[in-house]
């Protein structure tokens, strides 16, 4: 089960736990969230290596671009990839290689926040992490399944499957 955040961003907001037994379930969750994301939104993805952050990101971007076969390279080396979508720009950040928030500004963070931002390894944002972001913490379970703990967007629930 997801624990309610004791402090910091989204404090006091109820966490929602979503079981993700397969990669397809992770992709479905991403598509559902993409269906309600709007400019100004931030989706922050946390979890260990292999938890499904990139799987989620690819499915989110394909859904937002209405192109299920679109090539979605990982921004692990470029640090940010920007996509033009029918809803405006989406900036996909992978901050794994950053040591902290100072370098984020150089990547165009302020401008990117006018569109939708999708961030892997958001702990590197520090105080730049938007307080009203949707935080998704992906956990790998013993059987290999995943669990997503969603916190935020209290005014806009994620559509049911």
């Amino acid at each position: 089960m997801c624990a309610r955040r004791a402090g910091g961003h989204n404090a006091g907001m109820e966490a929602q736990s979503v079981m993700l037994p397969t990669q397809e379930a992770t992709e479905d969750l991403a598509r559902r969230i993409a269906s309600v994301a709007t400019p100004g939104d931030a989706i922050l993805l946390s979890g260990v290596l292999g938890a499904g952050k990139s799987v989620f990101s690819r499915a989110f971007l394909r859904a937002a671009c209405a192109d299920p076969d679109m090539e979605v390279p990982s921004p692990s080396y470029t640090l940010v990839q920007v996509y033009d979508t029918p809803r405006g720009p989406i900036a996909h950040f992978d901050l794994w290689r950053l040591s902290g928030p100072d370098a984020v500004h150089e990547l165009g963070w302020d401008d990117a926040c006018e569109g939708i931002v999708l961030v892997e390894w958001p702990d590197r944002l520090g105080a730049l992490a938007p307080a009203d972001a949707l935080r998704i913490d992906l956990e790998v379970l013993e059987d290999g399944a995943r669990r997503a703990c969603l916190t935020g967007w209290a005014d806009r629930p994620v559509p049911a499957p």
Side-chain angles (χ1 to χ4, degrees), residues 24-147:
E24 290 77 20
T26 300
E27 292 167 344
D28 180 60
L29 175 63
R31 286 188 292 269
R32 290 187 284 128
I33 292 172
S35 76
V36 296
T38 60
D41 283 343
I43 298 101
L44 309 181
L45 300 165
S46 299
V48 299
L49 285 171
K53 297 179 296 296
S54 294
V55 167
F56 180 97
S57 297
R58 285 186 184 100
F60 180 95
L61 289 161
R62 288 174 178 146
C65 292
D67 185 352
D69 298 317
M70 181 176 76
E71 183 67 28
V72 181
S74 172
S76 293
Y77 295 101
T78 60
L79 303 178
V80 63
Q81 293 282 117
V82 179
Y83 297 84
D84 291 320
T85 76
R87 284 177 245 177
I90 297 177
H92 178 202
F93 290 85
D94 184 330
L95 304 180
W96 168 251
R97 295 180 25 214
L98 294 186
S99 58
D102 293 339
V104 176
H105 286 294
E106 295 174 25
L107 298 174
W109 176 256
D110 295 329
D111 290 335
C113 287
E114 293 178 18
I116 297 170
V117 293
L118 181 62
V119 182
E120 297 183 46
W121 304 101
D123 57 309
R124 294 351 188 240
L125 288 172
L128 293 176
D132 59 352
L134 175 63
R135 291 178 172 271
I136 303 173
D137 297 312
L138 295 164
E139 177 186 3
V140 180
L141 304 177
E142 285 184 23
D143 64 359
R146 275 56 172 168
R147 176 177 34 227

Side-chain angles (χ1 to χ4, degrees), residues 1-17 42 130-137 149-157:
M1 252 350 208
C2 298
R4 184 184 290 241
R5 290 186 182 274
H9 300 294
N10 297 323
M13 296 182 128
E14 199 65 41
Q16 178 184 358
S17 179
D132 59 352
L134 175 63
R135 291 178 172 271
I136 303 173
D137 297 312
C149 294
L150 287 66
T151 308
W153 288 8
D155 62 331
R156 186 172 14 147

